[in-house]
């Protein structure tokens, strides 16, 4: 538009659009700084020796960088065991969710059957329920069946909570596989199970990865059930272990923040890679990303 | 699409015949696929909910393994006449309402911002998404440290406000504590809303804007008459989702304030937890849980209605 006008106007319009750019870029900068600052501060407090951090006002930029705190953290606390437990719980949750959600998503996406909408509704509603509401009954049941203090039984509960979302994500992904391909395979004599195994799954690898990520990190991040269903210190996953560390006092601040940082790296990495799929699952397919 | 030929070839290689047997299999197959999920969720979600509802009419002593005693509506009578319960409901409403308002406004504003094109946009978007990707426990750790009254970095900024010459006790003041719970929960949640709103914004055809601009519409008119109607249903849906998410919120509040100071941040889920696992009053906690269950069913109902409406608009 600006180029179409000539003379006096072009100068003014040029100035206006430049001004607009400046406003746009500075707004983006401010928004990003405000959003990122808490995470930045975690990184700074981790890497900087604490004589700088434990001082008011603390310097806003790191004055010196050290890496010894990571080793000290692993010596001072059973972080390695916590992380190992988190891996066990998260992998089991992921496994259960993958198997069940592939089956459910295929039934929702590719097959037409009476009760299909009702099943979708059931998943939608279970996904909305606060985890707290079934905590006490589950605690009671687990207690009477001696299932407390067991990583597998915790993983089974975690899977129950995240499974509906996994099914929705995968349904959205399976919807993208053209129907003609499935029909062609069926006409050629493939049965439905080999259609799933040999056609649908190889075509939807990114979606499967997304479901794996969602299930894995739900269990990885989960705190409430882990803190109640696991009482023994040697079974603590990292989410619970971390919450026992106390800033100021027992745990030096650079170790405290290092622990938070180590725990967050994996989820941040994978969530950012898979954000599109995860978002569509959480809104139950409302968003066409 | 490049997989087309390959898959067809693979499919053609499959065994032939058995066509006559397929219909029965096809009829049963969806139920066979769905059955494990129903059984699984039935055991781990539906059965405990039923147990919870039944338990709310009983007096339960988990610690001593005494058989539960039927007490009828006693737990509910106690709940309804308990002033603490109504205070908790108020706190829940306040927290939920403020988080919806803050997180969705922040999501909307950032989505409008990121709907414009600028250099390094993918990088900026990645930065914006980070709070959402952070697990809750480290978020708590960060903010406990940032809000530390002695060394917390937030105090540098607070001191810039005229009249503030001491570091405030951020989490020991009822109003400030609630404010921070809302801010932290919103900080963690808004990137998600932003992403969803952005997707809705990008689905509005550019030609509509062009046509309106040619007709001389200004920025505000464009927003009111094109942008807002275009993302209206998405916003409604997100309000309900935000309501559910903040109603569920446990870890952030529990680990930062435990519901305090003096109950200022005690929402219903925190109350249930404290009643059961601090005061070991399982029966009363179960009744509170049923109350929470009813509330969340109502919210879920709205979500389902909005979903159905949206689905109709899309097809």
């Amino acid at each position: 538009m600006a180029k179409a006008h000539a003379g006096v106007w072009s100068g003014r319009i040029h100035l206006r659009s430049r001004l607009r750019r400046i406003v746009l870029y500075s707004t983006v900068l401010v928004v990003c700084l405000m959003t990122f600052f808490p995470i930045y501060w975690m990184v700074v407090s981790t890497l900087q020796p604490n004589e700088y951090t434990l001082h008011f006002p603390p310097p806003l930029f790191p004055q010196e960088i050290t890496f010894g705190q990571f080793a000290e953290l692993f010596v001072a606390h059973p972080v390695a065991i916590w992380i190992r437990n988190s891996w066990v719980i998260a992998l089991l949750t992921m496994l259960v969710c993958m198997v069940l959600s592939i089956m459910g998503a295929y039934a929702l996406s590719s097959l037409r059957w009476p009760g299909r909408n009702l099943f979708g509704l059931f998943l939608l509603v279970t996904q909305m329920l606060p985890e707290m509401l079934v905590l006490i009954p589950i605690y009671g049941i687990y207690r009477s069946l001696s299932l407390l203090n067991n990583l597998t039984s915790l993983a089974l509960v975690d899977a129950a909570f995240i499974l509906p979302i996994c099914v929705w994500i995968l349904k959205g992904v399976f919807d993208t596989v053209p129907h003609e391909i499935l029909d062609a395979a069926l006409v050629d004599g493939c049965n439905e199970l080999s259609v799933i195994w040999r056609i649908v799954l190889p075509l939807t690898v990114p979606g499967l990865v997304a479901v794996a990520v969602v299930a894995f990190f739900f269990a990885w991040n989960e705190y409430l059930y882990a803190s109640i269903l696991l009482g023994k210190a040697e079974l603590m996953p990292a989410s619970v272990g971390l919450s026992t560390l106390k800033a100021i006092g027992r745990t030096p601040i650079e170790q405290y923040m290092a622990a938070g940082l180590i725990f967050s790296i994996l989820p941040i990495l994978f969530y950012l890679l898979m954000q599109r799929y995860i978002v569509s699952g959480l809104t139950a397919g409302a968003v066409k990303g | 699409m490049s997989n087309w030929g390959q898959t067809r070839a693979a499919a053609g290689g499959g065994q032939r015949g058995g066509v006559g047997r397929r219909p029965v299999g096809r009829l049963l197959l969806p139920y066979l696929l769905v059955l494990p999920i129903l059984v699984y969720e039935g055991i781990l979600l539906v059965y405990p909910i039923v147990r919870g509802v039944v338990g709310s009419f009983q007096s339960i002593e988990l610690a001593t393994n005494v058989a539960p005693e039927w007490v009828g509506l006693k737990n509910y009578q106690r709940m309804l006449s308990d002033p603490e319960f109504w205070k908790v409901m108020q706190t829940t409403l306040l927290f939920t309402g403020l988080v919806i308002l803050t997180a969705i406004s922040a999501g909307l504003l950032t989505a409008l911002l990121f709907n414009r094109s600028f250099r390094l946009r993918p990088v900026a978007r990645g930065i914006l998404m980070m709070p959402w990707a952070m697990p809750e426990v480290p978020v708590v750790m960060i903010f406990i440290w940032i809000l530390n009254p002695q060394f917390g970095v937030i105090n540098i900024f607070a001191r810039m406000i005229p009249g503030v010459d001491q570091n405030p006790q951020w989490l020991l003041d009822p109003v400030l504590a609630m404010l921070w719970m809302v801010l932290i929960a919103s900080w963690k949640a808004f990137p998600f809303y932003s992403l969803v709103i952005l997707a809705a914004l990008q689905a509005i055809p550019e030609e509509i804007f062009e046509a309106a601009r040619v007709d001389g519409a200004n920025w505000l008119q464009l927003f009111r008459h094109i942008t807002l109607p275009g993302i209206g249903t998405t916003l409604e849906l997100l309000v309900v989702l935000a309501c559910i998410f903040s109603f569920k919120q446990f870890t952030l509040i529990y680990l930062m304030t435990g519901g305090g100071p003096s109950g200022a941040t005690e929402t219903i889920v925190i109350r249930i937890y404290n009643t059961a696992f601090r005061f070991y009053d399982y029966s009363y906690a179960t009744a509170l849980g049923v109350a929470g269950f009813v509330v969340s069913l109502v919210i879920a109902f709205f979500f389902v209605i909005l979903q159905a409406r949206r689905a109709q608009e899309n097809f």
Side-chain angles (χ1 to χ4, degrees), chain A residues 40-48 53 69 253-254 257, chain B residues 145:
Chain A
Y40 165 78
W41 196 243
M42 174 170 77
V43 177
V44 170
S45 306
T46 303
L47 296 180
Q48 185 168 252
T53 327
Q69 61 279 37
I253 191 64
E254 71 277 18
M257 287 285 102
Chain B
W145 172 231

Side-chain angles (χ1 to χ4, degrees), chain A residues 42 77 89 93 107 112 121 127 147 161 166 173 203 207 217 221 225-226 240 243 245 256 266 275 283:
Chain A
M42 174 170 77
H77 301 278
I89 299 166
T93 306
R112 297 286 172 272
L121 193 71
Q127 172 196 338
L147 288 172
F161 284 118
C166 291
V173 174
L203 282 176
F217 287 109
N221 298 349
Y225 277 79
V240 181
S243 72
L245 301 177
Y256 181 73
L266 274 184
Q275 47 171 280
T283 51

Side-chain angles (χ1 to χ4, degrees), chain B residues 176-226:
Chain B
L176 286 178
M178 176 54 106
L179 195 77
W180 275 110
M181 290 307 110
V182 170
L183 281 178
I184 297 168
S186 306
W187 177 76
K188 174 124 179 54
F190 90 90
F192 170 70
Y193 305 128
S194 180
L195 210 62
V196 178
I197 296 171
L198 189 60
L201 283 174
Q202 285 169 347
I204 304 175
E206 187 56 35
E207 299 84 59
I208 307 182
F209 285 105
E210 291 296 330
R213 270 193 215 107
V214 170
D215 289 345
N218 65 30
W219 181 84
L220 196 67
Q221 286 169 321
L222 288 179
F223 181 76
R224 265 200 57 193
H225 298 292
I226 300 175

Side-chain angles (χ1 to χ4, degrees), chain A residues 233-272:
Chain A
E234 70 267 24
L235 291 177
M236 244 184 218
S239 61
V240 181
L242 255 54
S243 72
T244 65
L245 301 177
K246 293 276 175 287
I248 310 299
R250 271 174 283 164
T251 314
I253 191 64
E254 71 277 18
Q255 286 181 30
Y256 181 73
M257 287 285 102
L261 196 61
I262 292 170
F263 187 62
S264 313
I265 287 173
L266 274 184
I268 288 185
L269 201 69
F270 280 97
Y271 263 63
L272 292 190

Side-chain angles (χ1 to χ4, degrees), chain B residues 31-91:
Chain B
Y31 301 100
L32 291 176
L33 286 174
V34 154
L35 191 67
I37 296 182
L38 288 177
V39 171
Y40 193 83
E41 298 289 355
I43 294 173
L44 283 160
L45 279 181
V46 181
Y47 174 63
I49 288 173
V50 174
R51 271 276 291 253
V53 174
V54 172
S56 69
F57 296 103
Q58 295 173 327
S59 162
I60 315 163
E61 291 290 339
L62 274 183
T64 54
N65 280 330
V66 176
E69 185 194 333
W70 198 259
V71 294
L73 289 171
K74 209 185 97 192
N75 289 322
Y76 290 100
Q77 280 162 356
R78 177 176 160 199
M79 185 171 85
L80 294 176
S81 60
D82 183 0
E84 296 268 314
F85 171 73
W86 296 107
K87 198 194 157 201
V88 165
M89 286 311 243
Q90 269 177 19
T91 310

Side-chain angles (χ1 to χ4, degrees), chain B residues 3 12 27 210 236 242 292:
Chain B
N3 286 328
L27 274 179
E210 291 296 330
E236 283 174 2

